[in-house]
Amino acid sequence: MNREQILSVLYDLSLTIGGETSLDGLLRKFLQRLLFHTSFPAGVVLTMPQSSEFGISALLDSVIGDYRLAERRGSRLNLPEGLLEPRVELLDDVGLLRPLSFDRAYTHCLRLPLDRQFTILLLSPAPPESHLPLTQIFQPVLANVAKAIILCRNNERLNQALANDRDDARAELGVALAQSERERAFLDSLYEAIPDLVWVKDPEGVYLSCNPTFSRLYNATEHDIVGRTDYDFVDRDLANFFRANDRAAAAAGGPTLNEEWLTFGDNGYRGLFETIKTPMCDRDGHLIGILGISREITERRRVEEALRASEAELEQHRRHLEVLVAERTQALEQANARLEQTHFAMDRVGLGIHWVDADGHFIYVNHVAAEMLGYAVEEMLTMSVADIDPGFAKSGFDEATAGIRQSGRASFDTEQQHRDGHLIPVRISAYYRPETTSEPARYITFASDISEQKRAEGELREAKEQAESATRAKSSFLANMSHEIRTPMNAILGSVYLMRRAGGDAARSEPLNRIEASSQHLLAIIDDILDLSKIEAGKLALEEAPVSLAGLMNEVAEMLSGRTREKNLNVYIESAGLPECVLGDATRLRQALLNYANNAVKFTSVGSIRLCGSVLEENATNVLVRLAVQDTGIGIETEALDRLFTPFQQADESTTRKFGGTGLGLAITRHLASLMGGTAGAESMPGVGSTFWITARLKRQSEARMPSEAPTERDDVEEILRRQFGECRVLLVEDDPINREVAQMLLEDVGLHLDMAVDGVEALDKVTSNDYAVVLMDMQMPRMDGLEATRRIRALGTRASLPILAMTANAFAEDRDRCLAAGMNDFVTKPVDPSLLYAALYRWLALGTRH
């Protein structure tokens, strides 16, 4: 390269140095020109080097040609020793350049130190191809760059100082303006707060200012009034009147007073106002305007006129006074007559009246009060409250009646002693009359004989006890009936299940289906009767747990799928508008929908069934939802709809009816809706179809999570039990040999090792001497029942965490509560549904494994 080219490069760099006053711009442009002249692909500027026990670090100030390094601009980089030496040098050490190699690996670097704080590194992944003497050509300009950096820093400091001074000046000006605005706002607020009409005119009658109250007079803003005269707003006669008063005030040289009627333009109100007009002069005494203030005196004038009128009427009232006294005297005589009639009426209705002094002595009694206890009036006037009421002691009457004095009145039932000694139940209404200047304090009481009422209450209480006893007997009978039916039904359904599992010819499938369907139908009837019994006894309690309404509707549709496929019916679900999760009783909601859906399938031969869900009302805490089942079935006559939700009622009650049923499902559904804060109903058209609906008010659950369950597919649960828990040992406690055999086959079918006990005594002995993963416990057994056996197992201490599952035909909620209270962990009802049994076993065996 010749001398002219080198000078050209240096000249270009010098121009770059001299043309920038910003430090950041200087470094960036200088780096750009270096890259241009050297053909290096990338370059960085490092500043503020620091040494520590971990090595040297520097701030990455500027980056050109490497976007990965550019992303780290402003951060500190840890650098190896030797990279930031204070001399110009062409480096080819890959290890030195590794901290700068992110997107590409740099092998060569031209180091250009500017001063102790700034170093420029030109980076290349290959040997540079520049013809310039790289280590020599730039040394003359590096010192100039260092000086330029100092000048840029000084310039930035001066600019910052200038900006600070400017900001201070602006702040001071802002404070002054704010103070001026506050003073102006205070004066404006004071002007606007004056309730009177205030205005200022110049000597020619032109408005200079006015307050909002005056603006209402002309129904115009202050902006519209200022600069105009009265002639612009009112008729000429009234404007001349106002102008004459202005001139009079100016001529008087002081305040003048006049009254005038003003009509407000904003609402048409007209009132009498007292106006003071005062001339305003400058310091030299020259008139500069007229100040006017008007205050309404309409009410004051009305009061003055009323006072004059009342004085005129006073004499007339005095003359009329004697007439009034005479009339009052007559009224008092009539009041006394009415009082005597009132006493007469009270005597006739059997209401006893006592007046009692502060010490408890009678000072007045009526005939009814005396005759009620077998005394004469004169006798009772010598007695005290303690003589007839055993509840009051001879002494301490003041303390006993403190509550009556405090509240002023009291009502209570007590017993008073008849002259012959027997007690009479009475109802007392007592009132306390405090002492006055003319009369002492006293109690006034009204007493009525409630002997007949007490007798009726006793009879009612006895009838209630008998009804409750009958209800308990009914519940006990239903529980025993349920137990006795469910026990053999468990054997039937269990045997059917095992026969299906055993396989065989297809000829047995249809009889088994009939047996299973009939048994399930009988169980459904039993469950409906039990539910209705709980509802009538007021013992049906709802659970409150997270529920997915859309998922529940899908479950119901899935449960209908077999029957709908047989009848070639389409099933549709509309649940888009329902909330994702609420709190409610999923079992009861599913029961209600299934009642409707089963009826829809039963009465629909052609068409479709639609499950619909919608929101009727909602707020921050709860939501009222409507769930409906719509079908295209035979429909129902209007007169039959009213009785459908009554127990044991059906649309067709004839002996030749085509469709069966107990008539309980809809009645139970309506009760469930009522318990959930809603209702149930139906609409139907014969030959078109029916819509049965239920509403329920459910709590919102903003972040509810649906409870996790065991695998839902029976085959999945069975396979998991065989694979994961095939070696587990289970104790079955069952006294019925058939049910014991069925349960044994169900448990062994999934590979569980089984021990059996026939009663609680044998179960306790086996649990004491063996380790079991789960115990399946019947409730009703000879010698020792399942509840007592569970309590004794828990008392052992070493079996506190042993899962004990009730497997019983006692299906009431009370039975479940008794099992859980005794220490059992779960509850499986008979007839045992194998899928539910397997799911419960999986849940507790898995829990035991985790523990």
Side-chain angles (χ1 to χ4, degrees):
M1 176 173 285
N2 57 36
R3 175 182 173 84
E4 288 76 10
Q5 290 177 321
I6 294 175
L7 291 176
S8 175
V9 171
L10 294 177
Y11 179 73
D12 178 65
L13 294 177
S14 298
L15 289 178
T16 301
I17 295 171
E20 282 294 331
T21 60
S22 165
L23 179 58
D24 185 65
L26 171 65
L27 293 174
R28 187 164 187 83
K29 287 189 176 181
F30 186 69
L31 181 59
Q32 287 176 341
R33 299 313 298 170
L34 286 175
L35 294 177
F36 173 76
H37 290 298
T38 62
S39 300
F40 276 79
V44 299
V45 179
L46 299 175
T47 184
M48 296 177 9
Q50 292 181 356
S51 298
S52 66
E53 58 182 332
F54 301 106
I56 299 175
S57 67
L59 183 69
L60 186 59
D61 185 88
S62 297
V63 180
I64 296 177
D66 191 326
Y67 78 96
R68 293 294 300 274
L69 278 173
E71 291 175 351
R72 289 163 175 77
R73 184 173 181 267
S75 62
R76 299 194 72 85
L77 300 178
N78 293 321
L79 304 172
E81 294 285 347
L83 184 61
L84 298 183
E85 292 295 326
R87 63 179 180 273
V88 177
E89 187 176 358
L90 182 63
L91 305 174
D92 58 356
D93 189 342
V94 177
L96 289 177
L97 301 179
R98 186 171 293 111
L100 301 173
S101 299
F102 290 98
D103 189 48
R104 65 180 76 173
Y106 294 114
T107 59
H108 291 75
C109 166
L110 178 60
R111 179 177 60 210
L112 301 174
L114 303 180
D115 57 15
R116 292 182 179 180
Q117 293 295 321
F118 290 89
T119 299
I120 294 176
L121 300 180
L122 304 183
L123 305 172
S124 175
E129 298 179 356
S130 176
H131 299 293
L132 294 172
L134 297 178
T135 58
Q136 300 169 1
I137 186 173
F138 301 119
Q139 288 188 359
V141 297
L142 294 182
N144 293 334
V145 175
K147 294 177 181 178
I149 289 174
I150 295 174
L151 292 175
C152 288
R153 284 177 173 171
N154 292 337
N155 181 62
E156 289 179 351
R157 281 196 294 271
L158 290 174
N159 288 337
Q160 183 62 42
L162 180 61
N164 292 339
D165 292 342
R166 184 175 63 251
D167 292 341
D168 291 343
R170 287 176 177 173
E172 292 175 1
L173 178 60
V175 171
L177 290 175
Q179 179 66 25
S180 175
E181 287 296 326
R182 283 196 296 273
E183 294 175 357
R184 170 83 179 181
F186 175 77
L187 293 176
D188 290 344
S189 298
L190 181 64
Y191 199 35
E192 293 175 359
I194 298 175
D196 299 332
L197 285 75
V198 182
W199 68 94
V200 177
K201 298 179 182 178
D202 68 6
E204 303 303 323
V206 178
Y207 283 100
L208 301 177
S209 71
C210 65
N211 70 342
T213 307
F214 184 87
S215 297
R216 290 178 48 233
L217 177 67
Y218 286 158
N219 194 24
T221 64
E222 180 184 5
H223 176 76
D224 294 332
I225 295 174
V226 171
R228 303 169 73 181
T229 66
D230 293 315
Y231 294 95
D232 296 317
F233 298 100
V234 296
D235 60 74
R236 189 168 189 80
D237 292 340
L238 185 57
N240 288 336
F241 173 75
F242 291 154
R243 186 63 183 143
N245 289 332
D246 294 342
R247 293 192 180 102
T256 61
L257 182 68
N258 68 279
E259 294 181 0
E260 52 198 10
W261 285 91
L262 300 178
T263 302
F264 282 76
D266 63 341
N267 57 9
Y269 173 75
R270 182 174 175 79
L272 180 63
F273 286 77
E274 182 180 73
T275 300
I276 299 175
K277 293 189 176 181
T278 304
M280 300 172 59
C281 299
D282 59 16
R283 293 182 179 181
D284 297 329
H286 298 114
L287 181 67
I288 60 175
I290 302 293
L291 169 66
I293 302 176
S294 287
R295 173 169 295 176
E296 185 176 10
I297 58 171
T298 308
E299 182 62 20
R300 187 180 77 186
R301 185 58 50 84
R302 186 193 65 78
V303 172
E304 291 173 353
E305 293 177 355
L307 181 61
R308 287 192 293 270
S310 64
E311 290 174 351
E313 293 177 359
L314 181 60
E315 184 62 26
Q316 181 180 357
H317 285 305
R318 289 175 180 172
R319 291 194 299 267
H320 195 58
L321 182 59
E322 294 181 358
V323 177
L324 293 177
V325 170
E327 291 176 352
R328 181 62 177 163
T329 302
Q330 183 182 2
L332 288 175
E333 292 174 351
Q334 293 175 350
N336 288 332
R338 288 194 297 272
L339 181 61
E340 292 178 358
Q341 294 173 1
T342 301
H343 282 295
F344 177 81
M346 289 184 176
D347 290 344
R348 293 303 178 270
V349 299
L351 193 63
I353 304 175
H354 313 90
W355 290 8
V356 183
D357 65 15
D359 298 323
H361 294 93
F362 294 111
I363 56 178
Y364 168 81
V365 295
N366 67 346
H367 289 285
V368 174
E371 293 173 358
M372 186 185 301
L373 301 178
Y375 295 100
V377 172
E378 293 75 13
E379 290 179 286
M380 288 199 66
L381 293 179
T382 64
M383 302 168 65
S384 68
V385 174
D387 294 327
I388 65 169
D389 194 329
F392 287 86
K394 290 289 185 181
S395 60
F397 181 80
D398 185 70
E399 291 81 0
T401 56
I404 301 177
R405 291 194 302 277
Q406 183 177 2
S407 62
R409 63 176 63 189
S411 296
F412 55 91
D413 292 347
T414 185
E415 290 182 325
Q416 293 184 351
Q417 191 170 29
H418 193 272
R419 186 176 195 140
D420 61 12
H422 78 276
L423 295 176
I424 300 175
V426 296
R427 178 159 295 152
I428 300 294
S429 296
Y431 298 87
Y432 177 67
R433 186 175 182 274
E435 181 181 4
T436 64
T437 55
S438 59
E439 293 184 352
R442 67 183 59 172
Y443 300 91
I444 301 174
T445 66
F446 300 91
S448 57
D449 188 345
I450 57 172
S451 300
E452 284 299 315
Q453 178 181 339
K454 290 294 183 182
R455 183 189 60 79
E457 288 177 355
E459 293 176 353
L460 182 61
R461 187 163 45 252
E462 182 179 356
K464 180 176 179 292
E465 291 174 354
Q466 292 176 353
E468 290 176 348
S469 176
T471 300
R472 288 192 295 271
K474 174 184 174 183
S475 297
S476 177
F477 166 74
L478 290 174
N480 289 332
M481 181 186 71
S482 172
H483 180 273
E484 294 304 319
I485 294 175
R486 286 175 180 273
T487 298
M489 197 63 66
N490 182 60
I492 295 171
L493 289 175
S495 299
V496 169
Y497 172 76
L498 292 173
M499 292 172 69
R500 288 185 189 278
R501 292 295 299 268
D505 55 30
R508 288 198 306 178
S509 178
E510 185 174 351
L512 290 177
N513 289 340
R514 286 198 296 269
I515 293 172
E516 185 175 29
S518 299
S519 300
Q520 294 292 351
H521 180 65
L522 179 58
L523 284 177
I525 294 174
I526 294 171
D527 289 338
D528 285 347
I529 293 174
L530 294 180
D531 281 345
L532 188 62
S533 174
K534 293 175 190 176
I535 290 170
E536 291 176 347
K539 294 183 179 180
L540 184 64
L542 298 179
E543 294 183 352
E544 190 173 271
V547 180
S548 170
L549 295 176
L552 188 143
M553 295 173 70
N554 288 329
E555 290 177 19
V556 172
E558 180 63 24
M559 296 169 76
L560 298 177
S561 59
R563 297 171 57 198
T564 54
R565 279 196 299 268
E566 291 177 1
K567 302 183 73 171
N568 198 25
L569 299 175
N570 294 322
V571 179
Y572 302 101
I573 300 174
E574 298 178 2
S575 59
L578 294 174
E580 290 186 3
C581 191
V582 291
L583 291 178
D585 192 326
T587 301
R588 295 304 179 181
L589 287 169
R590 186 185 298 107
Q591 179 181 355
L593 274 182
L594 272 176
N595 280 337
Y596 288 161
N598 285 330
N599 285 341
V601 175
K602 182 193 301 184
F603 294 104
T604 303
S605 300
V606 178
S608 62
I609 295 172
R610 193 176 300 272
L611 280 66
C612 306
S614 60
V615 175
L616 301 182
E617 299 175 10
E618 58 182 330
N619 54 41
T621 59
N622 58 63
V623 58
L624 181 65
V625 299
R626 182 181 189 268
L627 304 178
V629 177
Q630 180 180 351
D631 63 54
T632 57
I634 60 175
I636 305 169
E637 296 291 342
T638 303
E639 57 271 14
L641 281 176
D642 295 334
R643 67 173 186 269
L644 280 182
F645 289 89
T646 304
F648 307 106
Q649 295 292 323
Q650 293 183 321
D652 182 5
E653 296 182 333
S654 67
T655 58
T656 60
R657 61 184 179 176
K658 178 180 178 182
F659 302 99
T662 61
L664 291 177
L666 295 182
I668 293 172
T669 299
R670 175 164 284 181
H671 282 294
L672 292 176
S674 178
L675 290 174
M676 289 185 279
T679 184
E683 300 97 24
S684 184
M685 183 177 295
V688 177
S690 306
T691 299
F692 284 80
W693 52 266
I694 178 175
T695 61
R697 190 171 295 279
L698 306 172
K699 291 183 180 179
R700 286 188 178 277
Q701 182 78 349
S702 58
E703 296 181 358
R705 295 181 179 176
M706 300 305 296
S708 60
E709 298 287 348
T712 55
E713 292 294 334
R714 178 188 299 171
D715 293 339
D716 292 344
V717 179
E718 294 180 18
E719 181 58 32
I720 292 173
L721 288 173
R722 291 190 192 94
R723 186 175 64 253
Q724 296 183 8
F725 307 105
E727 299 301 320
C728 290
R729 194 172 182 184
V730 177
L731 176 62
L732 171 66
V733 187
E734 171 65 65
D735 63 320
D736 186 85
I738 298 177
N739 285 331
R740 194 162 56 242
E741 180 182 357
V742 171
Q744 178 182 359
M745 289 186 287
L746 288 173
L747 296 173
E748 291 179 347
D749 196 41
V750 292
L752 297 174
H753 291 265
L754 187 66
D755 286 353
M756 289 185 285
V758 298
D759 56 36
V761 175
E762 187 177 351
L764 182 60
D765 181 62
K766 286 183 178 293
V767 170
T768 304
S769 57
N770 298 290
D771 289 331
Y772 294 104
V774 171
V775 175
L776 296 174
M777 183 78 71
D778 192 12
M779 281 185 65
Q780 295 185 8
M781 294 181 294
R783 293 207 297 170
M784 182 187 294
D785 62 28
L787 300 178
E788 180 61 25
T790 300
R791 283 190 284 267
R792 295 196 184 188
I793 291 173
R794 294 306 185 206
L796 294 175
T798 58
R799 299 293 186 264
S801 61
L802 173 63
I804 302 178
L805 280 60
M807 191 167 70
T808 175
N810 298 74
F812 276 74
E814 295 87 342
D815 298 321
R816 180 187 183 94
D817 294 339
R818 289 167 58 201
C819 290
L820 297 178
M824 297 187 188
N825 302 93
D826 210 338
F827 190 87
V828 179
T829 59
K830 297 177 183 177
V832 173
D833 184 337
S835 61
L836 296 180
L837 174 61
Y838 291 151
L841 286 171
Y842 169 81
R843 184 163 54 250
W844 290 104
L845 288 172
L847 183 63
T849 302
R850 288 196 296 272
H851 288 173

